[in-house]
Amino acid sequence: MGDDDNKVTSEEIGASPAVTFNLDDCTIDAQERAALGIDVAYVQWRADFRRTVIAANVLNRPWRSVFEADMMFSIVAHRWLAGRAITHKELATYFEIFVTEATVSRHLDDMEESGMIVRQTDPDDRRRIFLLPTRRLETIGHGYLQARIRMMREHGFVWNGGEAAGGAKAIDPARAPE
């Protein structure tokens, strides 16, 4: 999160009443509504995309969980673009609260079977398995990312040219700034 992000605490969540309220009383601002609109547009695009991938016979069956599979693809690709491939064990830590490591493994089996990722053993430590994106995932990623960019523009977000990241490569949030 950036410095200007307000983190919601567990106390604030617990203190918020579980009752509905009038739209006039809503405190969500225009930028937050735009982000919400992007999420909804993404879900709509994602459903169409899944139908396309299944029709192309890339998948033998739909992925087990849309959220989990999409996030795993994103994390694998993002870490690879940041110059540091992610390991199976590291990926599992992102999901440890709501899925087991076995579930992550089943997702990875599906992804490997569909040609989206490859597993590569670390030559320096044969116990570590790196997850690497394939050209197929890159092709799909272009479509996905272009759709996300279009949705963001439709909701008023503007690209700053990567100035915050130095324009060089993906920022790896798991690494401390150098």
Side-chain angles (χ1 to χ4, degrees), residues 61 70 155:
R61 63 186 176 281
D70 290 351
H155 286 87

Side-chain angles (χ1 to χ4, degrees), residues 35-51 66-67 70 144 147-148 151:
L36 187 59
I38 290 169
D39 288 345
V40 171
Y42 166 71
V43 170
Q44 291 170 334
W45 179 86
R46 202 62 194 145
D48 290 340
F49 170 75
R50 287 194 178 278
R51 283 188 282 277
V66 173
F67 169 76
D70 290 351
Y144 162 77
R148 293 285 288 190
M151 289 172 209

Side-chain angles (χ1 to χ4, degrees), residues 147-164:
R148 293 285 288 190
I149 291 166
R150 186 186 83 262
M151 289 172 209
M152 290 170 61
R153 285 184 180 143
E154 289 171 0
H155 286 87
F157 288 87
V158 178
W159 170 248
N160 72 359
E163 294 165 13

Side-chain angles (χ1 to χ4, degrees), residues 39 41-50 53 59 62-78 91 94-95 98 107-108 111 116-117 137 140-141 144-145 148:
D39 288 345
Y42 166 71
V43 170
Q44 291 170 334
W45 179 86
R46 202 62 194 145
D48 290 340
F49 170 75
R50 287 194 178 278
V53 171
L59 299 177
W63 285 306
R64 299 167 198 278
S65 163
V66 173
F67 169 76
E68 293 164 8
D70 290 351
M71 292 302 99
M72 288 179 193
F73 284 140
S74 295
I75 293 166
V76 167
H78 190 265
L91 180 66
Y94 282 89
F95 301 93
F98 54 95
H107 277 294
L108 295 174
M111 293 173 190
M116 303 294 180
I117 65 162
L137 182 58
I140 289 170
Y144 162 77
L145 294 170
R148 293 285 288 190

Side-chain angles (χ1 to χ4, degrees), residues 6-31:
N6 294 322
K7 292 184 182 179
V8 177
T9 65
S10 56
E11 290 81 18
E12 290 173 307
I13 294 170
S16 296
V19 297
T20 190
F21 56 97
N22 293 324
L23 182 58
D24 295 338
D25 297 330
C26 182
T27 60
I28 295 176
D29 66 24
Q31 184 171 319

